[in-house]
């Protein structure tokens, strides 16, 4: 933020006149820490530590931070962004690469994303130089140890953190809630909040399965004895039966019953429970809420309905529908809460051109830009914008390339006006009829080649860039041969 805005907000905090009422809170809440709605410790224990699918989904999101790179750019007067240069940009870039003595950029972002997917919030504190205002380090704060302190006007006054006696100023903490909580004005809503019942059912089903195998993998039953059995004898028989058949030591053990004894099964058989159907529904719910395609985390519901060719499509969909939005909002929070400390025109962005799953999309954009430039539909600067390269600017950047001419045979066909069919009285000669038949064969061969290429592309995997390139070359060769044959056919009809 600029100096004028900082002065205005600081002055407003002192006199409390220029600041509007941000949130409606009770008077007794002012200055008191506000706790989150959910129990984050329970989410960590029951969800992240006990449920393997939730742990896999959160890890899949958090470890994606290894692919994009953080870029520091400067917003120019015309609104465009360029690679930032200067001492302020170098200082910010060095801080992002080394946020603190213990973490790198990747581990710092991985921890933030793990906290956010688990609790719906991430925080990091800006450590300033001694006796100065320069930010020299960034430390992530655990949400379960953080408290938000509101002021009387509803704005955040500061933060309380376990082990820190004084109130941390609001300007020293950057907070990003994942999604709004309708029951809490200050904290974000955890994705696991809507998965409580699914998590409980999943954990209980695994506990039941564990108990089933612990109990010699046999259901409960009744041991019937003829005649009256005294209480002491009943307890002794139960203890002896349990000792012989419960636990690992009782697996595959053999029981011998008297003629007057009979064992009757009363427990539920696993086949009747159909646990796989239950687990499929739980897996679908977890993956949909966290935004992770099931095939990427090895969920059975995804593996049963996917092939290897779908894996690349699933990873691209994961980036386009979940991660791109996540990184954009993260970059905006970094820009507002951190880049403004160094200069008001600095912008932090994630460079997604290094993401392997988006290379095919980038190739499509590159081809669109080149074709648009070659056809004269885009200026040079517009084409460079689509590719993500810096503009040339000036008169050269505003130029358009003249479109390439169409082949003579096709141009003649396109330039001839379609006259009424009843006015055509010319009787074709034998050479003309043969030329037209040749033209039909050429066109049929051309379209068949296109269909075979598309079918080959589909069968071998749409995500394979090498296959796409080879098919594109084959289509181009087929098209060029067809145009040449059409030209020759049209010459023979003249």
């Amino acid at each position: 933020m600029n100096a004028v805005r900082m002065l205005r907000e600081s002055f407003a905090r002192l006199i409390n006149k220029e600041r509007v009422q941000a949130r409606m809170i009770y008077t007794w809440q002012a200055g008191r820490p506000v706790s989150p709605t959910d129990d984050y410790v329970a989410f960590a224990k029951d969800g992240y530590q006990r449920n393997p699918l939730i742990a896999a989904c959160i890890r899949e999101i958090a470890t994606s931070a290894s692919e994009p790179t953080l870029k520091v750019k400067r917003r120019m007067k015309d609104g465009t962004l360029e690679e930032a240069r200067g001492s302020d940009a170098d200082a910010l870039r060095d801080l992002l690469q080394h946020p603190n003595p213990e973490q790198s950029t990747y581990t710092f972002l991985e921890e933030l994303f793990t906290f956010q997917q688990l609790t719906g919030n991430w925080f990091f504190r800006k450590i300033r130089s001694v006796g100065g205002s320069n930010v020299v380090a960034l430390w992530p704060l655990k949400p379960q140890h953080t408290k938000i302190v509101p002021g009387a006007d509803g704005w955040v006054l500061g933060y309380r953190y376990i082990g820190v006696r004084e109130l941390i100023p609001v300007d020293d903490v950057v907070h990003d809630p994942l999604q709004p909580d309708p029951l809490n004005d200050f904290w974000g809503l955890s994705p696991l909040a809507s998965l409580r019942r699914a998590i409980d059912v999943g954990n209980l089903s695994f506990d039941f399965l564990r108990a089933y195998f612990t109990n010699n993998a046999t259901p409960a039953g009744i041991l019937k004895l003829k005649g009256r059995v005294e209480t002491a004898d009943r307890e002794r028989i139960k203890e002896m039966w349990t000792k012989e058949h419960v636990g690992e030591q009782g697996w595959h053990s053999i029981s011998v019953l008297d003629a007057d004894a009979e064992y009757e099964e009363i427990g539920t058989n696993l086949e009747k429970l159909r646990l796989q159907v239950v687990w499929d529904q739980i897996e679908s719910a977890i993956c949909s809420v966290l935004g992770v395609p099931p095939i990427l985390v090895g969920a059975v519901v995804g593996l049963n309905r996917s092939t290897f060719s779908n894996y690349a499509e699933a990873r691209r969909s994961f980036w386009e529908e979940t991660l791109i939005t996540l990184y954009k909002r993260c970059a905006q929070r970094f820009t507002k809460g951190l880049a403004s400390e160094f200069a008001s025109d600095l912008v932090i962005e994630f460079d997604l051109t290094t993401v392997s799953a988006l290379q095919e999309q980038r190739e499509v954009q590159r081809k669109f830009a080149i074709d648009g430039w070659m056809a004269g539909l885009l200026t040079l600067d517009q084409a460079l914008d689509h590719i993500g390269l810096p503009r040339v600017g000036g008169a050269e950047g505003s130029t358009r390339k003249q479109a390439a001419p169409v082949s003579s045979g096709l141009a003649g066909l396109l330039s001839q006006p379609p006259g009424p069919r009843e006015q055509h009285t010319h009787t074709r000669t034998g050479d003309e009829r043969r030329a037209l038949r040749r033209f039909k064969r050429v066109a049929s061969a051309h379209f068949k080649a296109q269909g075979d290429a598309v079918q080959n592309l589909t069968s071998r995997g749409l995500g394979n860039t090498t296959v796409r390139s080879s098919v594109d070359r084959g289509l181009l060769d087929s098209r060029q041969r067809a145009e040449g044959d059409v030209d020759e056919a049209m010459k023979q009809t003249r």
Side-chain angles (χ1 to χ4, degrees), residues 96-112:
L96 292 174
Q97 293 176 355
H98 309 283
N100 57 66
E102 297 181 0
Q103 290 181 310
S104 63
T105 305
Y106 167 65
T107 55
F108 180 76
L109 292 174
E110 182 185 20
E111 187 169 352
L112 291 184

Side-chain angles (χ1 to χ4, degrees), residues 220-236:
I222 298 177
L223 189 62
K224 295 182 180 180
L225 300 175
K226 293 183 178 180
R228 180 179 177 82
V229 181
E230 298 296 335
T231 303
D233 294 336
R234 185 184 301 111
E235 295 299 328
R236 180 179 57 82

Side-chain angles (χ1 to χ4, degrees), residues 91-336:
L92 176 58
R93 194 176 290 111
D94 182 68
L95 179 63
L96 292 174
Q97 293 176 355
H98 309 283
N100 57 66
E102 297 181 0
Q103 290 181 310
S104 63
T105 305
Y106 167 65
T107 55
F108 180 76
L109 292 174
E110 182 185 20
E111 187 169 352
L112 291 184
F113 290 154
T114 300
F115 291 157
Q116 190 175 47
Q117 296 299 318
L118 183 62
T119 68
N121 304 267
W122 61 247
F123 303 83
F124 69 81
R125 183 179 180 182
K126 296 178 284 188
I127 306 300
R128 303 184 184 274
S129 58
V130 178
S133 59
N134 297 329
V135 180
V136 295
L138 307 174
W139 283 96
L141 304 178
K142 293 184 180 296
Q144 67 268 27
H145 299 324
T146 306
K147 303 294 183 182
I148 302 176
V149 181
D153 55 3
W155 293 83
V156 177
L157 187 63
Y159 298 87
R160 293 285 184 186
Y161 194 72
I162 186 172
V164 180
R165 182 172 301 177
E166 68 276 4
L167 181 69
I168 303 176
V170 64
D171 293 334
D172 289 349
V173 175
V174 180
H175 171 213
D176 183 31
L178 180 62
Q179 53 188 349
D181 187 348
L183 303 179
N184 197 311
D185 292 333
F186 300 94
W187 289 83
L189 182 65
S190 169
L192 304 188
S194 60
L195 292 172
R196 285 189 182 93
R197 291 185 296 178
I199 294 173
D200 291 341
V201 173
N203 291 342
L204 289 175
S205 63
F206 277 104
D207 291 342
F208 174 83
L209 193 62
R210 180 178 180 274
Y212 177 82
F213 283 104
T214 303
N215 191 32
N216 196 19
T218 58
I222 298 177
L223 189 62
K224 295 182 180 180
L225 300 175
K226 293 183 178 180
R228 180 179 177 82
V229 181
E230 298 296 335
T231 303
D233 294 336
R234 185 184 301 111
E235 295 299 328
R236 180 179 57 82
I237 294 173
K238 286 172 57 177
E239 182 180 355
M240 181 179 62
W241 185 272
T242 302
K243 184 178 179 180
E244 289 183 0
H245 299 286
V246 174
E248 296 181 4
Q249 68 277 4
W251 289 1
H252 309 295
S253 61
I254 300 175
S255 296
V256 178
L257 301 178
D258 294 334
D260 295 336
E262 179 183 355
Y263 178 79
E264 180 180 350
E265 178 182 314
I266 62 173
T268 303
N269 192 286
L270 287 181
E271 296 181 358
K272 297 179 181 179
L273 287 178
R274 300 182 63 187
L275 287 178
Q276 190 57 55
V277 177
V278 178
W279 290 335
D280 287 349
Q281 294 179 350
I282 295 175
E283 289 178 353
S284 299
I286 292 174
C287 291
S288 62
V289 170
L290 293 176
V292 180
I295 187 177
L296 298 184
V297 290
V300 177
V301 67
L303 295 176
N304 289 341
R305 296 168 175 82
S306 300
T307 61
F308 183 78
S309 61
N310 300 133
Y311 186 86
E313 291 296 321
R315 181 158 294 280
R316 182 170 63 85
S317 173
F318 178 46
W319 271 95
E320 291 179 349
E321 299 181 13
T322 302
L323 295 181
I324 290 181
T325 303
L326 181 68
Y327 282 103
K328 282 185 177 180
R329 63 177 296 131
C330 180
Q332 291 177 355
R333 293 301 301 165
F334 272 54
T335 298
K336 184 177 181 180

